Amino acid sequence: MRSANYRQVLEVYSTPFLYSVFGLIAWGAYEATLLLYRIACLGIASLAVMELCALCSYSVTGTLLLLAFVVTWFGPLMADLEVGNVNAIQLGLLAAVLRTLNIPDRMTASFAAGVVLGFTVMFKPNLVFVPVLLAAIRIMERRVVELGVLCIGLAVAVIVGLVFSIAMFGSLQCWIDWLGALRSMPDQIITTQMGNYALARVLLDWTGLRLSVLLMVICTGATLVCIGLGVYRSSGCRNASRDDCQSRERAFLLDASAVAVGCLVYLLSAPLVWIHYYVLVLPTVAIALRPTLGQDCDPQTAFCSKVLAGAALVGFAIHPLATLMGISSPLFFTLMFSSSAVILYWLGLRELSHVCHGLDTPPLTPSSTSDRTSKLV
């Protein structure tokens, strides 16, 4: 009743596929269902963090430390659980994408990742930059067969998602109405004062210019240029003696970095970013803080990268700390979160460049060859 009094007009901007999925799991009294949903989201987020840590070769201690921070001080996850949103689920889907990309057979990995990504984008399209970057990598590296398999997986998931949602709603009109709702999203519900922590919104308030599209072009373009230059540089100096296992490892590392950066491209360019959207920075955090970072680059550089990543992560804990201290300025939070996202984006670009150039792929140990729990090195 309190929510109904606050929001007298129900804005339905999520996809019909998302509503269809929730239509299957909604049952019983609202309060009880919401509690179970929050518990489920906390579990999904916790499992996703543990999976990211496993893929990044964290120790048990390191995994528990990062997990403890995320579930207690990480503001975006706390907000996601509070409002009952879906970003914890998205984090779980991203972890599933990375796990499928880690399958030794590259064709199977591309198809499985395409399917999971297709359902992920149908569920909430703000991760559309992830498949775009994965496709760009395969185009630039001329992995045409993998690109085709990835696109087939995406197409299968999109078709299944469309058929499922149309069956649930009774017609295609639900998708037509959704597209119309997106075009008519009113400005008054996306102000900074209401919790819109988007960099584009701050720039709009300061300059009066709508720079979201420009930010998207800049971020996407910089990422593609970074990948392209790395691939070009590596084409002339790649180690010809690298075995198949090492090549698969490098391919996974490149894909994982692209998944992480794809999330940040959206966060830095979208006109609307609620605080819980920043849950999507966690893949980049896990990569940037990985314990093996110092083994594949200069120790001083590795130390500086980890300090920056740690500072960015702490930046997202400012919200609960500031709440305790009585700081409530939306502008303060927006600048803090945007700055942290920019730092992580730069670290992600650096990772992409190094992996493309072949700098971050040391020989695999026997244990990692037999059990490809991926080392993001």
Side-chain angles (χ1 to χ4, degrees):
M1 182 63 67
R2 182 175 55 189
S3 298
N5 290 332
Y6 175 68
R7 299 182 69 176
Q8 298 181 17
V9 177
L10 181 62
E11 301 95 5
V12 284
Y13 300 116
S14 296
T15 66
F17 179 68
L18 183 148
Y19 290 123
S20 298
V21 171
F22 276 92
L24 293 178
I25 64 176
W27 58 272
Y30 173 78
E31 296 293 342
T33 303
L34 179 59
L35 176 60
L36 290 175
Y37 177 73
R38 286 171 171 167
I39 294 173
C41 285
L42 179 60
I44 291 172
S46 299
L47 290 174
V49 171
M50 289 189 287
E51 177 66 10
L52 291 172
C53 290
L55 291 169
C56 295
S57 300
Y58 280 63
S59 65
V60 174
T61 302
T63 299
L64 292 177
L65 286 174
L66 182 58
L67 179 61
F69 183 92
V70 169
V71 300
T72 56
W73 288 101
F74 189 59
L77 180 60
M78 297 171 63
D80 190 63
L81 297 176
E82 180 181 357
V83 301
N85 215 277
V86 298
N87 297 105
I89 297 176
Q90 285 188 293
L91 182 64
L93 289 170
L94 288 173
V97 169
L98 292 178
R99 174 52 64 185
T100 57
L101 286 170
N102 192 37
I103 297 173
D105 181 75
R106 295 307 304 165
M107 297 300 105
T108 303
S110 292
F111 179 78
V115 171
V116 179
L117 270 174
F119 285 125
T120 301
V121 173
M122 289 291 287
F123 188 75
K124 197 170 179 68
N126 59 349
L127 293 178
V128 68
F129 295 104
V130 173
V132 168
L133 293 182
L134 290 177
I137 288 172
R138 284 155 177 75
I139 292 173
M140 294 182 187
E141 293 204 323
R142 299 179 182 177
R143 291 151 51 187
V144 180
V145 178
E146 283 189 39
L147 173 64
V149 173
L150 177 71
C151 291
I152 291 174
L154 281 165
V156 168
V158 170
I159 292 172
V160 171
L162 281 173
V163 172
F164 172 66
S165 57
I166 290 173
M168 290 291 290
F169 279 88
S171 72
L172 184 62
Q173 188 63 39
C174 59
W175 284 98
I176 298 175
D177 292 342
W178 175 70
L179 292 173
L182 288 184
R183 290 193 295 268
S184 63
M185 182 179 291
D187 291 339
Q188 61 265 24
I189 72 167
I190 56 174
T191 62
T192 303
Q193 288 70 27
M194 292 192 66
N196 181 2
Y197 297 102
L199 176 62
R201 181 67 207 194
V202 173
L203 295 177
L204 173 62
D205 292 339
W206 285 353
T207 67
L209 300 175
R210 299 181 181 274
L211 301 176
S212 179
V213 174
L214 179 60
L215 289 173
M216 180 187 66
V217 171
I218 291 174
C219 292
T220 305
T223 305
L224 293 177
V225 168
C226 182
I227 295 172
L229 288 177
V231 171
Y232 175 77
R233 291 167 58 197
S234 66
S235 62
C237 60
R238 189 170 298 170
N239 188 354
S241 65
R242 178 181 292 154
D243 58 31
D244 290 339
C245 189
Q246 286 177 296
S247 297
R248 289 196 304 269
E249 184 76 7
R250 176 187 173 276
F252 169 75
L253 298 173
L254 189 54
D255 287 343
S257 300
V259 169
V261 172
C263 298
L264 290 167
V265 171
Y266 166 75
L267 292 173
L268 290 175
S269 62
L272 172 60
V273 181
W274 302 113
I275 178 175
H276 44 82
Y277 286 14
Y278 284 105
V279 168
L280 301 177
V281 306
L282 287 176
T284 309
V285 170
I287 294 173
L289 290 176
R290 69 188 188 277
T292 54
L293 179 62
Q295 300 176 12
D296 48 58
C297 65
D298 177 69
Q300 185 176 0
T301 301
F303 175 77
C304 292
S305 296
K306 289 183 178 181
V307 169
L308 286 173
L313 180 60
V314 171
F316 292 108
I318 287 295
H319 191 273
L321 291 175
T323 300
L324 292 174
M325 295 183 293
I327 301 175
S328 59
S329 169
L331 180 59
F332 170 79
F333 294 133
T334 304
L335 293 177
M336 181 61 66
F337 296 153
S338 297
S339 299
S340 296
V342 169
I343 291 172
L344 291 173
Y345 175 69
W346 180 82
L347 291 174
L349 286 186
R350 178 183 175 278
E351 187 72 21
L352 270 176
S353 177
H354 284 195
V355 177
C356 282
H357 193 36
L359 299 178
D360 287 345
T361 313
L364 296 177
T365 62
S367 60
S368 61
T369 302
S370 60
D371 180 16
R372 283 181 48 85
T373 299
S374 302
K375 296 171 67 176
L376 291 179
V377 296

